[in-house]
């Protein structure tokens, strides 16, 4: 579709709430006024209505030590009890919590009563391994029910989990285990990927035996998933089926302080060292449950919900584990890739389980667009009533395709902006309330406050002017800091615009209707397929290769993945450029150091890098090269001839 026909098409569409939807929606227009009139009162009500507290809280928010927040002060709760046991006690034990669909077609139905028994057994098992309240547990697992069970068992005993995405390498795993000082790792023998088993535990072994460092890991608990052969350390390694299966099926859940740490989740920042974003219990769970109810409009008694994220990312934490389970929802969990064994797998799953709420990412939608609308057309998707999008801006064309081919031209789409740091959805339409605007996340949900600031830190509301997105009031699911580094927390989020504003790192603008449009990161962070990657982290992976003298990485726009990693590399004087072989070696080196997700789409071997007189690499110019544009203003370069040198001397290799 051309831009003109796209915009005239958009213009003609009626995107106001559908008749009938509003009446049943969990979110209401009145909530905006309620929350604006009494911010803390609004959140206190959400906390009391949605969560069971074993001790009620005395104070809603303590912001006296800003930016370190305390929410629901004095309150006590058990997160796992809230996500599992209370539903059984309320007579919903037979309700399905998880419809598990394995990549190879094996299935499991886990009811809330089953989940209660499994979590109790796992909690008993963790305790028998010596895990105590406050100890950190690393979780390196694929998308299987045991992963959810492990996270909930950790929550139940108050041991913060640190889930590390199964696509990260042993090297990345090592850094994260060491930073959190984890004494237990839970993993599987292997994971299924595109129909084949791939080893997983092997990376844990390598992470533990990393260099000369003594590992904090005392025990490794291993689920058998793929029957992949594993090396075994009798002292350290324990099979899940040997330990967990025989445990008692009840476990006494202890109440935890509202501010007890629930989890650490590593994400990329602007330096080479990933940040351990940490979240606590009461506030996080409140916002997770609230947003899953009002934004996804999940009705636990009738909906079948499916969030396609991996539990290794924050979306999986909040919208597979904590939000939907706190609400007692029924969900689908799928282990595999969208094209295994065929490109209609997702639609087949939706038809099979009658999925009614689907939450996914723009990069997936664009991939399906490429595969063709005739594929979903052969399945019955009439159960779908709400669609969600997360991870990056959704371009209007993908929005329209999603609505038409997946949403039957009727389902509202919620474009949800949030971050690992925010813990839950922050900016999004409310289905049944908001008149939708394709491409825009629109406005902060009730209880959340945001502004756009100019370069001088002044808020403005002018349409089409580009500025920086900030959050202006503390919110319950906000990060409580960076694990072990309170200074970096203050510096990264609360210094750019002073202590009053949380700086999200995203550019934004308003349109003439007052909708907020997110415009991507303004720092050296890339967004590839909705995953956050740091240029600095990939650069340091590249320079750790013996042939590399210097490296600069930029995110170049990519039709499918949003952005793609493009690396410019200067080889060492004694290294020889073997053309394509060198390029492939460097790409594989990054995959080994960080994980396949960070593998550059392109590596360009160059004789020089563009630098300012003070030695700062001018990424803007490299981005021009990577995006095949005319190179912009070069006047601040120390040597203005460098760009032609780069373009002439470039030997390029690209993705397989
Ligand atoms: O740039 C924004 C983008 O993803 C970043 C957060 O990445 P991460 O912490 O990995 O969490 C992703 C899942 C919540 C943001 O700073 N982003 C996320 N959602 C959107 C988005 N950009 C535009 N629109 C969105 N809906």
């Amino acid at each position: 579709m051309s831009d003109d026909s796209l915009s005239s098409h958009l213009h003609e569409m009626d995107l106001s709430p559908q008749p009938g939807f509003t009446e049943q929606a969990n979110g209401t227009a009145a909530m905006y006024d309620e929350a604006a009139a009494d911010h803390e009162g609004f959140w206190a009500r959400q906390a009391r209505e949605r969560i069971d507290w074993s001790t009620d809280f005395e104070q809603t928010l303590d912001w006296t030590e800003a930016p370190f927040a305390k929410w629901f002060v004095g309150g006590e709760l058990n997160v796992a009890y809230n996500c599992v046991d209370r539903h059984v006690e309320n007579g919903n034990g037979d309700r399905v919590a998880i419809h598990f669909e394995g990549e190879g077609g094996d299935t499991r139905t886990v009811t809330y009563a089953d989940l209660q028994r499994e979590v109790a057994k796992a909690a008993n098992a963790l305790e028998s391994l010596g895990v105590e309240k406050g100890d950190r547990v690393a979780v390196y697992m694929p998308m299987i029910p045991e992963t959810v069970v492990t996270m909930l068992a950790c929550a139940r005993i108050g041991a913060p989990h640190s889930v590390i995405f199964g696509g990260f390498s042993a090297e990345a795993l090592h850094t994260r285990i060491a930073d959190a000082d984890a004494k237990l790792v839970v993993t599987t023998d292997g994971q299924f990927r595109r129909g084949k088993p791939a080893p997983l535990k092997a990376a844990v072994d390598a992470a533990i035996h990393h260099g000369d460092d003594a590992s904090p890991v005392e025990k490794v608990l291993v689920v058998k998933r793929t029957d992949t052969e594993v090396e075994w350390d009798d002292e350290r390694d324990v099979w899940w089926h040997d330990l967990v299966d025989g445990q008692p099926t009840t476990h006494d859940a202890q109440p935890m302080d509202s501010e007890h740490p629930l989890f650490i989740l590593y994400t990329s920042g602007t330096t080479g060292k990933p940040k351990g974003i940490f979240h606590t219990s009461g506030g996080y769970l409140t916002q997770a449950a609230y947003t899953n109810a009002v934004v996804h409009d999940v009705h636990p008694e009738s909906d079948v919900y499916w969030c396609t994220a991996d539990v290794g990312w924050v979306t999986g934490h909040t919208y597979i584990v904590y939000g939907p389970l706190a609400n007692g929802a029924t969900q689908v969990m799928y282990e595999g890739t969208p094209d295994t064994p065929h490109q209609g797998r997702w639609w087949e799953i939706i038809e099979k389980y009658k999925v009614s709420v689907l939450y996914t990412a723009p990069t997936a939608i664009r991939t399906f667009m490429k595969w063709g609308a005739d594929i979903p057309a052969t399945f019955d998707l009439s159960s779908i009533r709400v669609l969600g999008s997360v991870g990056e801006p959704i371009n209007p064309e993908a929005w329209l395709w999603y609505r038409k081919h997946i949403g039957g031209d009727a389902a509202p789409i919620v474009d949800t902006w949030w971050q690992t740091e925010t813990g839950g959805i922050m900016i999004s339409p409310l289905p049944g309330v908001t008149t939708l605007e394709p491409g825009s996340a629109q406005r902060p949900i009730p209880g959340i406050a945001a502004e756009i600031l100019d370069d001088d830190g002044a808020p403005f509301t002018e349409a089409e002017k580009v500025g920086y997105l900030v959050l202006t009031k503390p919110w319950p699911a906000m990060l409580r800091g960076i694990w072990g580094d309170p200074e970096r927390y203050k510096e990264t989020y609360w210094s750019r615009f002073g202590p009053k504003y949380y700086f999200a790192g995203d550019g934004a603008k308003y349109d003439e209707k007052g909708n907020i449009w997110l415009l991507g990161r303004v720092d050296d962070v890339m967004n590839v397929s909705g995953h956050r990657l740091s240029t600095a982290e990939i650069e340091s992976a590249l320079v750790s290769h013996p042939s590399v003298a210097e490296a600069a990485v930029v995110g170049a726009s990519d039709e499918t993945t949003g952005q793609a990693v493009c690396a410019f590399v200067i080889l060492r004087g004694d290294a020889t450029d073997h053309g394509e072989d060198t390029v492939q070696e460097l790409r594989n080196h990054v995959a080994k150091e960080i994980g396949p997700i960070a593998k550059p789409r392109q590596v360009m071997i160059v004789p020089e890098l563009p630098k300012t007189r003070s030695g700062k690499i001018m990424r803007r110019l490299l981005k021009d090269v990577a995006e095949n544009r005319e190179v912009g203003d070069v006047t601040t370069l120390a040597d203005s001839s460098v760009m032609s040198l780069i373009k002439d001397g470039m030997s390029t290799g690209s993705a397989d």
Side-chain angles (χ1 to χ4, degrees):
M1 218 184 286
S2 73
D3 279 358
D4 277 357
S5 66
L6 183 68
S7 62
S8 70
H9 190 67
L10 286 172
H11 203 68
E12 286 157 17
M13 289 176 83
D14 177 12
L15 296 174
S16 56
Q18 302 266 330
F21 195 104
T22 306
E23 292 69 21
Q24 63 79 54
N26 291 326
T28 64
M31 282 179 166
Y32 288 102
D33 302 329
E34 243 183 85
D38 181 3
H39 182 246
E40 288 184 30
F42 176 81
W43 282 116
R45 216 161 30 253
Q46 299 308 324
R48 292 200 173 100
E49 280 170 14
R50 298 181 191 277
I51 303 301
D52 280 10
W53 299 83
S54 35
T55 310
D56 191 17
F57 50 91
E58 291 146 16
Q59 190 187 356
T60 302
L61 168 66
D62 177 358
W63 192 230
T64 51
E65 286 173 46
F68 298 92
K70 291 196 182 88
W71 279 88
F72 312 125
V73 184
E76 289 188 318
L77 76 162
N78 186 284
V79 169
Y81 170 83
N82 271 276
C83 291
V84 184
D85 305 60
R86 65 168 172 160
H87 307 311
V88 180
E89 288 171 16
N90 292 339
N92 293 318
D94 291 339
R95 184 184 291 164
V96 175
I98 301 173
H99 288 293
F100 171 70
E101 179 85 14
E103 197 188 67
D106 54 321
T107 61
R108 275 156 73 183
T109 308
V110 184
T111 64
Y112 275 95
D114 296 331
L115 195 58
Q116 186 181 35
R117 285 186 288 271
E118 294 307 314
V119 173
K121 287 196 289 186
N124 287 319
L126 295 188
E127 284 177 344
S128 80
L129 291 173
V131 179
E132 291 174 6
K133 182 173 170 179
D135 289 342
R136 272 81 60 207
V137 174
V139 179
Y140 186 59
M141 297 172 82
M143 289 284 287
I144 55 173
E146 285 84 352
T147 310
V148 178
V149 168
T150 300
M151 291 163 74
L152 291 168
C154 289
R156 193 173 186 94
I157 64 171
H161 53 69
S162 163
V163 182
I164 297 132
F165 174 58
F168 276 120
S169 68
E171 185 67 35
L173 185 57
H174 162 77
T175 333
R176 286 157 177 78
I177 289 174
D179 188 75
D181 205 15
K183 69 194 271 194
L184 173 73
V185 183
V186 188
T187 188
T188 61
D189 52 350
Q191 59 180 339
F192 290 110
R193 243 21 202 171
R194 301 214 146 81
K196 288 195 213 94
L200 204 60
K201 181 180 181 286
V204 175
D205 297 335
I208 292 174
H209 298 293
H210 185 276
D212 299 330
D213 310 348
S215 173
V217 175
E218 291 166 17
K219 292 281 175 190
V220 179
L221 182 59
V222 190
V223 175
K224 188 172 266 189
R225 174 62 188 146
T226 50
D227 257 331
T228 301
E229 214 177 298
V230 288
E231 284 190 20
W232 204 254
D233 177 333
D234 285 332
E235 292 286 294
R236 190 197 67 194
D237 300 344
V238 188
W239 282 112
W240 178 283
H241 54 260
D242 285 342
L243 181 73
V244 181
D245 287 359
Q247 294 289 328
T249 53
T250 57
H251 176 272
D252 196 16
Q254 296 303 312
M256 308 281 158
D257 189 273
S258 177
E259 283 299 332
H260 186 72
L262 181 62
F263 66 86
I264 307 170
L265 185 56
Y266 287 85
T267 189
S268 296
T270 50
T271 70
K273 188 174 184 285
K275 301 179 280 196
I277 303 300
F278 96 89
H279 285 284
T280 60
S281 304
Y284 171 79
L285 196 63
T286 298
Q287 194 171 333
Y290 161 70
T291 47
N292 179 244
V294 303
V295 178
H296 298 125
D297 194 44
V298 166
H299 295 258
E301 59 295 340
S302 53
D303 275 314
V304 178
Y305 164 85
W306 182 19
C307 166
T308 67
D310 190 285
V311 280
W313 308 108
V314 75
T315 307
H317 281 58
T318 309
Y319 298 112
I320 293 176
V321 183
Y322 293 109
L325 295 180
N327 289 337
T330 295
Q331 69 178 308
V332 168
M333 180 180 199
Y334 173 53
E335 181 185 30
T337 43
D339 53 355
T340 309
H342 58 80
Q343 294 179 335
R345 186 72 192 267
W346 278 23
W347 321 123
E348 186 177 72
I349 291 173
I350 291 176
E351 179 180 276
K352 175 174 174 187
Y353 294 104
K354 300 195 168 40
V355 170
S356 51
V357 181
L358 177 69
Y359 192 36
T360 192
T363 182
I365 299 163
R366 289 192 298 264
T367 303
F368 296 130
M369 284 172 77
K370 269 207 303 214
W371 292 349
D374 51 322
I375 298 175
T378 58
F379 296 92
D380 177 7
L381 306 182
S382 60
S383 52
I384 292 281
R385 55 173 213 93
V386 180
L387 296 173
S389 170
V390 60
E392 58 174 313
I394 174 164
N395 47 313
E397 195 154 11
W399 195 104
L400 288 173
W401 190 94
Y402 194 28
R403 165 108 162 173
K404 181 164 178 212
H405 298 289
I406 311 303
D409 243 339
I413 298 178
V414 288
D415 175 0
T416 61
W417 178 90
W418 59 294
Q419 310 179 295
T420 305
E421 292 87 341
T422 71
I425 293 169
M426 304 293 280
I427 304 179
S428 168
L430 292 189
V433 178
T434 315
T435 296
L436 303 171
E437 185 68 44
S440 161
Q442 302 197 267
R443 66 186 281 204
I445 60 168
I448 299 301
E451 302 246 30
I452 303 178
L453 306 184
D454 65 17
D455 280 327
D456 302 323
F460 64 85
T461 53
E462 224 174 303
E464 300 305 321
K465 176 172 159 176
V466 175
Y468 305 94
L469 181 77
V470 293
L471 302 167
T472 57
K473 284 197 179 120
W475 62 100
M478 68 193 292
L479 74 166
R480 299 303 195 260
I482 294 176
W483 191 256
D485 201 346
E487 277 313 309
R488 188 174 178 196
Y489 167 62
K490 286 198 256 182
E491 170 61 32
T492 310
Y493 304 103
W494 302 93
S495 68
R496 173 75 169 81
F497 295 108
K500 241 175 77 185
Y501 296 118
Y502 169 90
F503 175 46
D506 279 46
K509 65 166 192 181
Y510 295 105
D511 63 17
E512 65 293 342
K513 295 178 201 155
N515 291 307
I516 296 176
W517 291 70
L518 280 314
L519 303 172
R521 306 284 310 190
V522 294
D523 51 14
D524 292 330
V525 171
M526 296 168 287
N527 188 326
V528 179
S529 298
H531 298 146
R532 207 202 281 197
L533 294 173
S534 138
T535 53
E537 204 178 341
I538 301 176
E539 284 163 4
S540 69
L542 282 165
V543 293
S544 76
H545 188 280
S547 306
V548 176
E550 227 183 317
V553 166
V554 295
S557 62
D558 183 279
E559 218 173 278
T560 308
T561 59
Q563 284 190 311
V565 180
C566 292
F568 294 80
V569 167
I570 303 179
L571 295 182
R572 278 183 194 280
D574 54 356
T576 347
D577 180 359
H578 295 291
E580 191 59 19
D581 286 350
T582 306
V583 162
Q584 291 310 337
E585 189 177 324
L586 295 179
R587 292 181 66 232
N588 292 335
H589 179 72
V590 174
K592 185 179 143 279
E593 289 292 303
I594 304 175
I597 43 165
K599 202 169 178 175
R601 183 188 70 183
Q602 274 170 297
V603 173
M604 294 171 251
I605 313 278
V606 292
E608 288 289 348
L609 288 172
K611 290 189 183 150
T612 59
R613 279 169 205 97
S614 60
K616 194 169 160 358
I617 293 174
M618 293 194 68
R619 285 169 212 282
R620 177 173 59 77
L621 299 178
L622 293 174
K623 216 169 148 151
D624 290 341
V625 175
E627 292 178 348
N628 275 327
R629 259 195 317 268
E630 193 62 29
V631 172
D633 183 9
V634 295
T635 48
T636 49
L637 279 181
D639 172 2
S640 60
S641 65
V642 159
M643 287 319 290
S644 31
L645 201 61
I646 289 178
K647 291 192 92 171
D648 297 343
M650 210 157 64
S651 70
T652 316
S654 56
D656 28 58

